[in-house]
Amino acid sequence: MEVREPAIAFGKQKLTIEEYLQFENAADAKHEYYEGEIFAMSGAKLAHNIITRNLFGALLAQLKGKACQPFGSDLRIHIPQNTLFTYPDISIFCGEVETLNNDEYDALNPTIIIEVLSPSTKCYDRGDKFKLYRDISTLKEYILVDSQTGSTEAFKINGQGHWELREYKDLGDTLSLGAVQINIDLADIYQSVKS
């Protein structure tokens, strides 16, 4: 998903979380929220959608019957520590999904977040968004899959609480998701994507 300029809702520049939730739950399109501002999210290009489909399919097959489950970009994630509400391309939850006030909309405890990078979002996803995601105490891995270069960056939190990066640059590589104990070949992630 691509994030656009801040949108104005209710004729106001800044919204409370309650106003945002009221606006968002009635909206036809998705909006990200951060510190009182909402940002319209647009659709993604074909390569982005193919990669997301391939990844989600692999995750669904490998996690079937296990305690962890993947969700697509319709599941909204909320980070109370910094106010962010967002829609990751894929999120994986282990155990029960906790939600804001048991609202069934705003999940709080992902174990893994996966973003498929687009030209307009890659700097945000690597920088400011990753910084905001790091406030999620349950988050163990953050995966960035580039829709243009065929490369993947996997950030994992180590035993000392520091984030470590492993880069995958070859389609012969295998992405390892240690938090859920599965592996996915990059060739499968990028299958049917035109270079």
Side-chain angles (χ1 to χ4, degrees):
M1 292 282 178
E2 295 187 14
V3 180
R4 298 187 179 251
E5 294 298 313
I8 297 176
F10 296 111
K12 296 173 66 174
Q13 292 286 3
K14 297 272 189 178
L15 299 180
T16 66
I17 287 175
E18 292 74 21
E19 288 170 332
Y20 162 73
L21 291 174
Q22 180 184 355
F23 169 82
E24 189 68 358
N25 293 341
D28 292 331
K30 298 179 204 172
H31 301 84
E32 194 169 86
Y33 174 93
Y34 180 63
E35 292 188 341
E37 293 186 281
I38 62 171
F39 302 85
M41 302 179 78
S42 65
K45 292 182 180 176
L46 184 60
H48 185 288
N49 281 289
I50 291 170
I51 291 166
T52 304
R53 177 204 64 203
N54 291 347
L55 254 171
F56 192 82
L59 290 166
L60 199 58
Q62 291 195 48
L63 293 173
K64 185 176 182 179
K66 297 185 179 179
C68 300
Q69 55 187 324
F71 292 88
S73 63
D74 283 336
L75 183 64
R76 189 168 59 216
I77 304 290
H78 175 52
I79 308 170
Q81 295 85 338
N82 58 42
T83 77
L84 181 68
F85 286 85
T86 191
Y87 297 86
D89 290 312
I90 299 173
S91 52
I92 301 173
F93 289 75
C94 295
E96 187 174 339
V97 177
E98 296 173 14
T99 59
L100 179 67
N101 303 320
N102 297 314
D103 67 3
E104 295 293 314
Y105 287 104
D106 302 295
L108 303 171
N109 60 322
T111 301
I112 298 174
I113 290 177
I114 301 172
E115 295 284 12
V116 178
L117 301 178
S118 299
S120 64
T121 63
K122 67 171 55 178
C123 290
Y124 173 55
D125 287 339
R126 281 188 178 121
D128 290 342
K129 197 169 197 180
F130 183 30
K131 185 177 179 183
L132 295 171
Y133 279 154
R134 290 196 302 260
D135 283 338
I136 302 171
S137 63
T138 57
L139 190 66
K140 304 296 180 215
E141 299 182 46
Y142 181 52
I143 312 300
L144 299 170
V145 181
D146 197 308
S147 64
Q148 293 185 303
T149 66
S151 65
T152 297
E153 299 166 81
F155 294 90
K156 299 179 183 186
I157 197 160
N158 66 22
Q160 291 76 41
H162 300 290
W163 287 91
E164 296 177 347
L165 168 64
R166 178 164 180 201
E167 294 182 88
Y168 301 86
K169 296 182 177 181
D170 188 288
L171 289 182
D173 290 341
T174 299
L175 172 65
S176 173
L177 300 176
V180 292
Q181 300 179 352
I182 64 171
N183 299 307
I184 304 172
D185 293 337
L186 258 66
D188 292 337
I189 294 172
Y190 288 96
Q191 183 181 2
S192 302
V193 176
K194 294 178 182 176
S195 50

